[in-house]
Each structure stands twice: as structure tokens, then as C-alpha cells.
Amino acid sequence: MKKAIVCGAGIGGMVSALSLSAKGYDVRIFEKNDYAGGKMGELKRDGYRFDTGPSLITMPHVIKDMFKSLGRNSEDYLQFEKLESSCRYFWNDGTVFEWYSDHEKLKKELTDVFGKTESDNFDRCLDYGKKFYELSNETFLEGEFRLRNFITTEGLKNATKFISGRSMNDVANKFFKDPKLKQMINRFATYNGSSPYLAPQFFSIIPYTEHKFGPWYVKGGIYRIAEALRKLCKEFGVQINFGMELTGYESTSSKISNLIFTDTDGEKHEVGDFDQVISNFTSLPGLMQDDYLTDDDWSSSGFILFLGMKKEFTSVAHHNIFFSDNYEREFIDIFEKKIPATDMTIYLSTTSKNEPEEAPANCENWFVLVNVPYMTDESAWNNQAKEKYADVIIEKLERFNYVFEGSIRDQIQFREIFSPLEFRDKYGSEFGSIYGLSSNSLYTLMKRPKNRSPKFKNLFFAGGNTHPGGGVPLCFLSGKIVADLASETD
Ligand SMILES: Cc1cc2nc3c(=O)[nH]c(=O)nc-3n(C[C@H](O)[C@H](O)[C@H](O)COP(=O)(O)OP(=O)(O)OC[C@H]3O[C@@H](n4cnc5c(N)ncnc54)[C@H](O)[C@@H]3O)c2cc1C
């Protein structure tokens, strides 16, 4: 029986472990934290429950297909719920826009808020994203990254679109006149930690796929997905060893021969009995090519406030965005100056709107997320800096008085902060970035880690830092791609 070691029990790690197990491998996972799920985590405090990472699922069929491939019915583990609206958008001038998942309702909202012409332009913009989806779906998302996937006649014809040099913002400018509508389309670049002013137009695929497949939530919280995978691991005999951090390895010229894990007491454990190694992270020095960690184009990080709110806010939806006044300046701050923006766009998710039991009666569980730069300075997020930035965010929210009608601060029962420092230390992500190398240029996109190690024949990479990209469905796909590659390799 062939043996595989999976390092990291994030989504990509667990999916690759399960897929290899289904192929007859003996698989063991080693995870540094004491829970499975990585960035898909959960926080419970004083009767409030929060998802600490993903809050919205698109393409749930990818997850369901994976369960099916294991001979399981996802409905026995998870209950997906389609949301009526993916997000409620707010601007300082009092404009509110509901992004309905139903196309007709959305078109009516577009016409009501932005006028008929912009509503028609919206359809054209979605069609533009559809072209990229159709070209890339099978070749790009479901298999190993290969340039030759595009060297068909159709691929060559379309290759110019991929290398056009146009950004997402150019797409927004091409189709829309209204700056607010442009801002909404541009926001989708942040789904993979990029700037819309830099990220290639290829990413107009994101609004298209979200609208095509709809916004989904999982009953009981997104974290239930991580729990379901952990349960499957148990059913498939995949052992997860918690509190085991990969801290080193030994190799021959072409293969990893020994893995060194350090447990929570600092004791070292050597594991050498394996055929293949899958890593669910790329941050361990030496694992990637030598110059990998010297790169300076990482995706954005996040600054999260978990707020227990003593009140219900009737104007707030499950998913909300409070836009900054100058979107371009915000991204210049994040990606060029590499400083947290003072006029920031704020994402607020409160699952208790859908599931009241996730907060005490008449209260709300607020997950507040702001995009911030990856870490360039160790001291940037000391306690004082964290508290100060949390205050700036709350002040900014309070300026949306037409939504909150009074002080937010007075309604906070508790607040917990999660900064880029925690992203780096808890998840082992490079410089606190959420998605590893950015997708801000074709050049960096090409440099993003592939699923097969360029250094070692028996090493593979799964997860959001690798191909096909970040986000829960893509991490599922990467796990599957990696299991296929590993099992085809001697
Ligand atoms: C705040 C936030 C919001 C998000 N929102 C969404 C969303 O709404 N929708 C969506 O689809 N996606 C979202 N994402 C992205 C999504 O969560 C990630 O892309 C996905 O969960 C990453 O999975 P992964 O397989 O890359 O593993 P990770 O979650 O990165 O897990 C890697 C695992 O490896 C472990 N590890 C690291 N180093 C070591 C080591 N040396 N030894 C042993 N173990 C180690 C870590 O502890 C971790 O468990 C969000 C992410 C964040 C952080």
C-alpha cells in the first residue's frame, strides 16, 4: 500500500488526503494547530458564534461533487442554503444597493438605482466574464496548470484577452459610467486578495461565477464544511495528528526523504515512511524555489474585528459592504504604499440575521473585515496599533449614521481582533497574506506555486496559495488535482 503524508489540515490538505485515501493510499495528516480547517475556523464567545474565515460559498457543486467522488452524499453532512442576496452595499451619500441572486430582481434593482442603460451594460459585463469562464473552466480550473492548455486554435484566439494588459478596473470602465457600479464590480478583485487597478481582466470571471452559481451559506456556519471533512477523514481512516508543526525536512537531490515535525512541547519527531508528501502551505523556508520568500508582491492580508453586539440593527443584512469614498486611493495605500487605509471599505457579515441562535436574543454577531497590506514590518501590528486601527474602523462605520442610527461603540459587548500578525502565526501564511503571492499581474500569476514541486519529485502543493487559486471551491479543486498528480507519479 502506498503511503502519503499531508502537512496541514486546511481545506486543500484534507481534500487531497481524502482523495488519495479513496485511491487506496495510506494517508496521515500532520497539522500544527489543534483543529482542522486552517483559515476556515470558528470562534465561540459569550453565546456568540463566528466563522473566522470564509463567510460566503460560491460553486457549491464543486464541494458536492467531491463528496460524490468519495461515494458520499453531501446532504448527509452539510445543508447548503442559497441566499436571496449576496450583499447589501452602502455608500456615504445614502445610496443602498441590494445584489439579489435572482437575475430579474437584480436587474430591477440595477434599473431603480442606476438606470436602464447601466442595467443593460451589466448584462454585457457579465457576458464578458462568461467568456473567461468558458475558456478556463476545464482546462484551467480542473487540471494541472499548463500553458499548452491555451495553445489550441480557440486558446490562441483568446490568449490575447489573457495578456491584453487590461485590468479589472478597465473592464468596469469599459462597461459602466456610474462610479458606484464600477466600485461594486471592482470589489470582486479582493476575493483573491488583489487590487482591481492591477489585477488582469481575466478576474471578471469572479462576478460572473458568483452570479451564475449564486451565494450560498451552510446551515450552522461555514465551519461545518471543515468539520464535515474532518468527519470524512475519520471514516476513511485518515489520521490527523494535531499540534505537529513541520519545521524541517531532509532530502536527496530529487526527493524529500524525511520530514521533521515539532510538537507543542518542542519535541522533534521524524517521519520518513512515505511515498508522497502533500503540503497545504508554501511558507516553510526551502520548500519552494530559493528566491520564493524574497518576493515582494503578496496578496492582501485582513484585519478582522469580532464584535458581540448587544442590539439588532434592522438596516443591516447578512452580508454588507460599506464603501470607502476613494476606492483607488484605498488600493494605492494597500498595495503600493503598503499601509492600512484610513478611508477603508468595510465588510460586515452577521450570520445571526439568518440563524438567530448564533447570538444571544436581540443581539448580533458581527464579523468585520477590512483589507490591509501583507506584513512588511514586524512591529506594524503591535497591540497599540491593533486597538487604534479597530477604533478607526468603528469610527468610520459610525459615519454611516443613516444605517446605524446612533453609536455603535455603545452597543459592543466585546471585541476581539485578528490582525495580519495572527494570520501569519496561526495559519503559517507568508507575511500574513491570505492567498500567498498576489494575482496583481500576469507575471506574478505565472509565478504562483504550481501543484507539483519544481524541486522534489515526491512533493505536491494543495490549497489557496497554489493553482487554481484561493477560495473554498478552488481549494477543493486543488486537493483533487494534487491527489491525481501524486497518484500518477512513482
Ligand atoms: C478572513 C477570510 C475570509 C475569507 N472569505 C472567503 C469567502 O467568503 N469565500 C471563500 O470561498 N473563501 C474565503 N476565504 C479564503 C478561504 O478561506 C481559503 O482560500 C481556504 O480556506 C484556504 O484553504 P487552504 O487549503 O489553502 O488551507 P489553509 O486554510 O491555509 O490551511 C493551511 C493549514 O496548514 C497548517 N500549517 C501551516 N504551516 C504548517 C506547518 N509548518 N506545519 C503543519 N501545519 C501547518 C495551518 O495551520 C492550516 O491548518 C477567506 C479567507 C480568510 C482568511
Side-chain angles (χ1 to χ4, degrees), residues 402-417:
Y402 76 93
V403 181
F404 300 108
E405 294 169 348
S407 166
I408 291 174
R409 202 170 299 263
D410 294 347
Q411 305 301 332
I412 299 176
Q413 188 176 333
F414 64 82
R415 81 178 188 193
E416 287 203 15
I417 300 175

Side-chain angles (χ1 to χ4, degrees), residues 7-14 30-33 35-40 52-58 191 222 244-247 261 280-284 302 304 319 347 367 369 418 423 425-429 434-435 462-466 469-476 478:
C7 305
I11 300 305
M14 286 194 283
F30 290 81
E31 161 60 48
K32 79 181 185 67
N33 289 326
Y35 71 96
K39 295 181 185 110
M40 187 188 281
T52 58
S55 52
L56 188 105
I57 298 293
T58 50
Y191 275 35
I222 304 284
M244 295 289 266
E245 179 170 359
L246 182 71
T247 47
F261 294 96
N280 194 193
F281 50 88
T282 39
S283 53
L284 186 77
I304 307 176
H319 297 284
Y347 169 67
F367 168 94
L369 172 66
F418 204 88
F423 275 95
D425 295 345
K426 189 161 184 188
Y427 307 134
S429 67
I434 297 185
Y435 299 104
N465 286 14
T466 70
V472 177
L474 298 195
C475 290
F476 267 76
S478 86

Side-chain angles (χ1 to χ4, degrees), residues 125-190:
C125 181
L126 277 194
D127 275 349
Y128 199 70
K130 185 179 177 188
K131 285 201 187 101
F132 290 106
Y133 176 78
E134 284 171 349
L135 180 69
S136 59
N137 187 24
E138 278 188 23
T139 54
F140 193 71
L141 293 184
E142 293 179 12
E144 187 180 7
F145 181 93
R146 284 210 180 118
L147 271 182
R148 77 170 133 90
N149 287 340
F150 301 116
I151 319 282
T152 57
T153 316
E154 190 60 13
L156 270 181
K157 219 164 64 194
N158 284 283
T160 54
K161 284 203 163 57
F162 284 84
I163 56 171
S164 67
R166 282 199 205 109
S167 67
M168 281 217 35
N169 183 53
D170 293 331
V171 174
N173 280 332
K174 177 181 164 92
F175 290 105
F176 303 114
K177 288 209 166 51
D178 194 294
K180 293 190 173 81
L181 201 37
K182 290 181 191 176
Q183 211 171 5
M184 280 196 294
I185 290 293
N186 275 342
R187 184 199 153 226
F188 285 93
T190 65

Side-chain angles (χ1 to χ4, degrees), residues 302-419:
F303 185 91
I304 307 176
L305 287 176
F306 299 99
L307 301 177
M309 302 301 288
K310 292 186 280 189
K311 182 182 158 186
E312 284 180 292
F313 294 82
T314 48
S315 304
V316 168
H318 184 153
H319 297 284
N320 313 268
I321 282 285
F322 298 87
F323 269 124
S324 61
D325 296 330
N326 187 333
Y327 215 35
E328 190 163 3
R329 194 189 310 140
E330 182 180 349
F331 285 96
I332 289 174
D333 282 348
I334 299 172
F335 285 99
E336 288 171 38
K337 295 186 184 165
K338 298 191 172 70
I339 52 168
T342 39
D343 175 22
M344 72 292 279
T345 294
I346 302 169
Y347 169 67
L348 162 61
S349 167
T350 167
T351 60
S352 56
K353 291 281 173 197
N354 251 26
E355 304 201 65
E357 62 280 9
E358 304 219 331
N362 308 316
C363 297
E364 285 180 354
N365 58 345
W366 281 20
F367 168 94
V368 176
L369 172 66
V370 168
N371 296 311
V372 292
Y374 69 86
M375 280 175 62
T376 49
D377 171 6
E378 191 68 22
S379 65
W381 293 110
N382 60 30
N383 281 344
Q384 201 189 355
K386 282 189 220 172
E387 296 296 334
K388 198 169 156 203
Y389 200 54
D391 287 338
V392 177
I393 293 171
I394 290 165
E395 260 164 46
K396 164 86 199 216
L397 273 179
E398 284 186 329
R399 268 183 260 149
F400 287 80
N401 194 39
Y402 76 93
V403 181
F404 300 108
E405 294 169 348
S407 166
I408 291 174
R409 202 170 299 263
D410 294 347
Q411 305 301 332
I412 299 176
Q413 188 176 333
F414 64 82
R415 81 178 188 193
E416 287 203 15
I417 300 175
F418 204 88
S419 79

Side-chain angles (χ1 to χ4, degrees), residues 13-301:
M14 286 194 283
V15 171
S16 54
L18 285 161
S19 307
L20 278 171
S21 174
K23 289 175 188 290
Y25 269 72
D26 172 12
V27 192
R28 283 181 291 162
I29 302 181
F30 290 81
E31 161 60 48
K32 79 181 185 67
N33 289 326
D34 59 1
Y35 71 96
K39 295 181 185 110
M40 187 188 281
E42 184 176 56
L43 170 72
K44 286 182 176 168
R45 183 169 158 184
D46 301 345
Y48 295 82
R49 193 204 74 82
F50 303 87
D51 282 309
T52 58
S55 52
L56 188 105
I57 298 293
T58 50
M59 310 207 291
H61 61 276
V62 169
I63 300 175
K64 292 179 185 177
D65 285 352
M66 188 282 226
F67 277 74
K68 214 167 164 186
S69 73
L70 298 175
R72 298 289 198 274
N73 183 351
S74 63
E75 283 166 24
D76 295 336
Y77 299 78
L78 297 166
Q79 209 179 315
F80 286 99
E81 294 187 350
K82 190 166 184 182
L83 297 171
E84 208 186 312
S85 147
S86 64
C87 193
R88 187 172 293 168
Y89 291 92
F90 298 92
W91 286 266
N92 248 328
D93 65 1
T95 307
V96 180
F97 182 87
E98 192 81 44
W99 191 300
Y100 290 105
S101 33
D102 176 79
H103 191 70
E104 289 316 308
K105 274 188 170 173
L106 178 61
K107 288 285 291 172
K108 182 174 180 316
E109 180 80 348
L110 282 161
T111 308
D112 290 349
V113 180
F114 299 110
K116 170 87 172 70
T117 310
E118 289 289 65
S119 177
D120 292 343
N121 291 341
F122 177 81
D123 286 333
R124 292 171 47 229
C125 181
L126 277 194
D127 275 349
Y128 199 70
K130 185 179 177 188
K131 285 201 187 101
F132 290 106
Y133 176 78
E134 284 171 349
L135 180 69
S136 59
N137 187 24
E138 278 188 23
T139 54
F140 193 71
L141 293 184
E142 293 179 12
E144 187 180 7
F145 181 93
R146 284 210 180 118
L147 271 182
R148 77 170 133 90
N149 287 340
F150 301 116
I151 319 282
T152 57
T153 316
E154 190 60 13
L156 270 181
K157 219 164 64 194
N158 284 283
T160 54
K161 284 203 163 57
F162 284 84
I163 56 171
S164 67
R166 282 199 205 109
S167 67
M168 281 217 35
N169 183 53
D170 293 331
V171 174
N173 280 332
K174 177 181 164 92
F175 290 105
F176 303 114
K177 288 209 166 51
D178 194 294
K180 293 190 173 81
L181 201 37
K182 290 181 191 176
Q183 211 171 5
M184 280 196 294
I185 290 293
N186 275 342
R187 184 199 153 226
F188 285 93
T190 65
Y191 275 35
N192 62 17
S194 326
S195 159
Y197 302 93
L198 301 170
Q201 62 165 349
F202 165 70
F203 291 110
S204 49
I205 194 174
I206 304 175
Y208 170 72
T209 45
E210 183 176 294
H211 189 59
K212 177 178 165 68
F213 297 111
W216 295 79
Y217 179 68
V218 177
K219 181 100 191 110
I222 304 284
Y223 181 63
R224 305 284 80 81
I225 297 176
E227 275 196 342
L229 290 177
R230 185 176 172 178
K231 190 167 175 225
L232 279 176
C233 283
K234 204 167 174 193
E235 289 172 18
F236 277 74
V238 173
Q239 186 191 82
I240 310 184
N241 302 279
F242 291 104
M244 295 289 266
E245 179 170 359
L246 182 71
T247 47
Y249 65 88
E250 287 163 8
S251 61
T252 63
S253 58
S254 64
K255 285 190 167 181
I256 300 251
S257 52
N258 215 14
L259 294 167
I260 300 153
F261 294 96
T262 305
D263 69 20
T264 45
D265 296 324
E267 199 174 316
K268 296 212 182 308
H269 304 260
E270 290 192 17
V271 178
D273 183 19
F274 53 78
D275 297 287
Q276 318 284 13
V277 179
I278 317 293
S279 181
N280 194 193
F281 50 88
T282 39
S283 53
L284 186 77
L287 217 49
M288 302 296 300
Q289 60 275 28
D290 294 341
D291 60 352
Y292 175 68
L293 290 172
T294 62
D295 214 295
D296 64 354
D297 194 4
W298 303 93
S299 57
S300 57
S301 185

